[in-house]
Amino acid sequence: LRGKPFYAFSSSAVIRMLSTPGFSGCRPVCIIERKREAMPYQKGDGKSVVIALGGNALGNTPQEQLALVKDTAKNIVDMVEEGTNVIVSHGNGPQVGMINNAFDYASTHDGKTPAMPFPECGAMSQGYIGYHIQQALKYALSVRNKHCPVVTVATQLVVDKDDKAFENPTKPIGPFYTEEEAKQLMQEKGYAMKEDAGRGWRRVVASPTPRKIVEIDAIKNLWKSTIVVSCGGGGIPVVENPDGTLEGVAAVIDKDFAAELLAEQVDADIMMILTEVEKVAVNWGKPDQRSLDKMSLKEAARYVEEGQFAPGSMLPKVEACMKFVRQNPQKKAIITSLDKALEALECKTGTVITFA
């Protein structure tokens, strides 16, 4: 090898070496390429934001979700690069329905698979959605040379067992049944069943108000050095028993109200709901439809009273934002589309909800 170049590799560089005749050893000639070292994660100096991802960010099937979540991650990392500190929450409507349907079908037809309790279905959806989000965020961060841990927390939210929502379950879940099958399920399993718009009968569950996040201390501690995915699908609803144990209940917590509680308990500066539309609108679908750049709490309450926002769609989003600014008069909430998230943080678009 004397007189001929060869290459040495270190953890930080590729170095061209040259052995010299009559000299025992080698001398470096030049550094060909210095490897980029991923920057360790540090919380940014910008605002802290709780992000609530809508269903459009996740799709309706595992395959569709895996593709869509890549774009979702890019938009979130755009915010991280600007110094924003984020916690991510998400919906799970299509996903938990798929899981529940699959177990119901299998337990009914093969005689071997047990029926899966609904809280466990919610926990399963948190796991696999979080897995997809973690993968996508880690890749989007690594492409930009950022070393940042990402973790999903299986999150339980305590609800009041005496919540009036349990007296009148309204949230349809699972497959459609004939009236005869529905009556049999009501008798055998104690399910609440309702006829659904002429399409058949479905099981319905309550949508109670979340009161407490069980894992909040862990979330706060992780957030010091990690991007956290939590309160997925509104969280796993549980009630507190007199002996201090927690028990899962068949219910669906609205993801927007779960995100609002999370934003309060981590003391976030901004609550951001990302959905299909860039701005909230009044007179939706009418010739005089009008997009809103901002709403005060008083204006939002008036629009709600007028019935401007559809139940199960924009209404819970607006009501969750109203609750956040009511509890935190100096802070704000934002509703916008996923692709406009960074612009909305810069006050260039979206609908901003403030106390006054």
Side-chain angles (χ1 to χ4, degrees):
L1 289 175
R2 290 183 180 274
K4 295 183 180 180
F6 64 99
Y7 300 93
F9 298 85
S10 76
S11 60
S12 60
V14 180
I15 305 172
R16 186 173 187 268
M17 307 292 288
L18 182 66
S19 61
T20 305
F23 179 75
S24 61
C26 303
R27 58 187 177 86
V29 176
C30 63
I31 295 177
I32 294 178
E33 178 185 358
R34 183 169 297 278
K35 292 182 181 179
R36 294 190 308 164
E37 292 185 1
M39 298 297 292
Y41 177 70
Q42 292 181 335
K43 290 191 77 171
D45 55 6
K47 299 290 187 180
S48 58
V49 181
V50 167
I51 298 172
L53 296 174
N56 64 309
L58 299 173
N60 293 303
T61 67
Q63 295 76 17
E64 186 180 356
Q65 176 175 295
L66 199 55
L68 288 176
V69 79
K70 294 177 182 178
D71 289 331
T72 301
K74 290 176 185 176
N75 284 283
I76 293 172
V77 173
D78 284 343
M79 298 165 67
V80 173
E81 276 205 310
E82 294 299 315
T84 304
N85 302 300
V86 301
I87 290 182
V88 181
S89 64
H90 59 81
N92 72 343
Q95 295 82 5
V96 74
M98 286 188 297
I99 294 169
N100 183 250
N101 288 355
F103 275 102
D104 273 2
Y105 183 87
S107 65
T108 301
H109 290 82
D110 70 9
K112 298 177 182 178
T113 304
M116 185 62 60
F118 195 72
E120 279 72 5
C121 291
M124 290 178 185
S125 72
Q126 282 191 359
Y128 105 76
I129 295 171
Y131 151 64
H132 282 177
I133 293 175
Q134 283 178 215
Q135 275 197 342
L137 281 174
K138 285 292 289 183
Y139 178 75
L141 287 160
S142 67
V143 165
R144 306 188 201 193
N145 199 37
K146 288 188 175 294
H147 176 69
C148 177
V150 184
V151 67
T152 298
V153 178
T155 318
Q156 303 171 91
L157 271 70
V158 175
V159 299
D160 187 344
K161 65 179 181 180
D162 296 321
D163 192 305
K164 291 184 178 179
F166 287 109
E167 298 175 7
N168 181 32
T170 57
K171 183 72 173 178
I173 61 168
F176 290 94
Y177 298 94
T178 65
E179 183 175 357
E180 182 179 349
E181 290 171 331
K183 288 180 178 179
Q184 185 176 352
L185 285 170
M186 285 189 282
Q187 183 176 2
E188 293 180 357
K189 297 187 177 183
Y191 289 173
M193 308 290 292
K194 288 187 178 180
E195 199 276 332
D196 188 354
R199 297 177 294 175
W201 289 67
R202 297 179 75 187
R203 183 184 178 189
V204 289
V205 296
S207 185
T209 302
R211 304 294 181 183
K212 183 172 68 175
I213 299 171
V214 176
E215 289 78 17
I216 191 62
D217 289 337
I219 292 167
K220 287 179 178 178
N221 287 331
L222 287 166
W223 198 26
K224 297 173 184 177
S225 60
T226 305
I227 294 177
V228 183
V229 182
S230 67
C231 294
I236 306 162
V238 297
V239 295
E240 291 179 321
N241 293 320
D243 62 358
T245 58
L246 299 174
E247 181 179 351
V249 292
V252 175
I253 299 171
D254 188 282
K255 73 179 189 313
D256 299 314
F257 285 104
E260 188 281 327
L261 182 60
L262 177 62
E264 278 194 46
Q265 295 198 350
V266 300
D267 196 27
D269 298 306
I270 299 170
M271 174 186 172
M272 174 175 276
I273 297 178
L274 301 179
T275 185
E276 293 90 347
V277 295
E278 185 174 342
K279 296 181 180 182
V280 179
V282 292
N283 301 322
W284 178 260
K286 299 177 181 179
D288 58 345
Q289 177 178 317
R290 178 168 58 92
S291 296
L292 303 173
D293 295 325
K294 58 183 180 180
M295 284 189 290
S296 67
L297 183 60
K298 185 177 180 179
E299 289 169 334
R302 186 179 79 246
Y303 291 138
V304 169
E305 182 70 22
E306 293 173 358
Q308 291 283 358
F309 309 124
S313 180
M314 189 56 72
L315 180 60
K317 295 173 176 57
V318 172
E319 289 181 329
C321 290
M322 290 171 63
K323 184 179 180 185
F324 180 69
V325 299
R326 187 184 298 114
Q327 299 294 328
N328 304 273
Q330 304 305 315
K331 299 180 179 182
K332 64 182 178 181
I334 300 172
I335 299 175
T336 192
S337 57
L338 176 65
D339 61 325
K340 298 294 183 180
L342 183 57
E343 290 181 52
L345 276 181
E346 297 170 345
C347 302
K348 295 178 181 178
T349 189
T351 299
V352 179
I353 298 92
T354 56
F355 184 82

